[in-house]
Amino acid sequence: FRRVLFRSPLHIADWLVSGVRALSMQPVLWLSVLLICADFATLLGFLPLLRPLAVLLAPLAVGGLMFVQDGASKGEAVSVREMFAALARRSNSLCVIGLYGAAIVAVGYLILLATFHVSLNMSVTAAGVHNFSMSYGGDHGVRGALESLLGASIFAVAIASACFAPALVMLHDMTPHDAMIASLSGAARNWPVTLMYF
């Protein structure tokens, strides 16, 4: 993993060639995967209530693709049955990656909500009468811009944590926790490669 991850952004051409090689070995499989992913994305556009499923399914899809790609890089064609068998062995770990990523985003946005949108007001009179109120409201000025910047940062951390984690779980048998920490660390240490990737 480290040998492949710690590279210059200029190596993106090598990654693209590797992808074309995998496609040429099993064109029907990769075309099927492309169509299924496109159909699922279209379905999520029509049925927004199903979008939380994408959080769980994305690591499974990426894990399966990494397993097939690893076989192609070794010159071995992986069957759909072998891919599903490998996914079945690690499905819980892959789903946990999705849940951890969603938890990072949820906790981050709760903190943003409490910091930028909720204000507490308390007053006490000499007679001992006290008043406590909580108000909610947005801000479109500097605070709004800062909130947007921090929100994008939280989303970036969640994506960086989950980006390489399915490959580490599938190919290196790492736990979801360790895989996500390694993914975040790799993305942070190789930020030019990460920016090129995105």
Side-chain angles (χ1 to χ4, degrees):
F1 172 70
R2 288 192 177 118
R3 182 176 62 79
V4 174
L5 181 61
F6 300 136
R7 286 191 173 183
S8 158
L10 300 176
H11 284 82
I12 193 167
D14 296 341
W15 302 335
L16 293 173
V17 169
S18 175
V20 170
R21 190 179 311 121
L23 174 65
S24 65
M25 287 180 66
Q26 293 178 289
V28 174
L29 173 66
W30 287 100
L31 183 60
S32 301
V33 166
L34 178 66
L35 292 174
I36 290 169
C37 289
D39 289 343
F40 186 68
T42 303
L43 180 67
L44 292 181
F46 287 123
L47 300 171
L49 291 177
L50 292 180
R51 287 181 188 166
L53 280 178
V55 171
L56 296 177
L57 295 179
L60 287 167
V62 172
L65 294 175
M66 292 298 101
F67 185 74
V68 175
Q69 176 66 29
D70 185 57
S73 67
K74 296 173 182 173
E76 305 167 357
V78 176
S79 69
V80 175
R81 179 179 293 171
E82 290 173 323
M83 181 186 72
F84 279 116
L87 282 174
R89 289 192 297 271
R90 295 174 181 87
S91 60
N92 289 342
S93 295
L94 293 170
C95 287
V96 166
I97 290 170
L99 290 174
Y100 279 175
I104 291 169
V105 172
V107 169
Y109 278 111
L110 282 175
I111 292 171
L112 286 180
L113 179 70
T115 305
F116 290 99
H117 292 281
V118 177
S119 59
L120 304 176
N121 301 310
M122 208 168 22
S123 61
V124 179
T125 65
V129 178
H130 59 276
N131 181 35
F132 177 79
S133 65
M134 183 170 68
S135 60
Y136 174 83
D139 189 357
H140 299 292
V142 174
R143 285 173 55 96
L146 182 60
E147 179 190 7
S148 298
L149 182 63
L150 291 175
S153 301
I154 291 166
F155 194 63
V157 166
I159 290 176
S161 299
C163 196
F164 301 109
L168 294 172
V169 166
M170 290 296 291
L171 306 178
H172 298 281
D173 244 354
M174 292 179 72
T175 64
H177 179 262
D178 292 340
M180 291 186 78
I181 289 175
S183 178
L184 180 61
S185 172
R189 290 172 62 185
N190 294 276
W191 61 268
V193 180
T194 305
L195 290 179
M196 178 70 77
Y197 173 78
F198 284 112

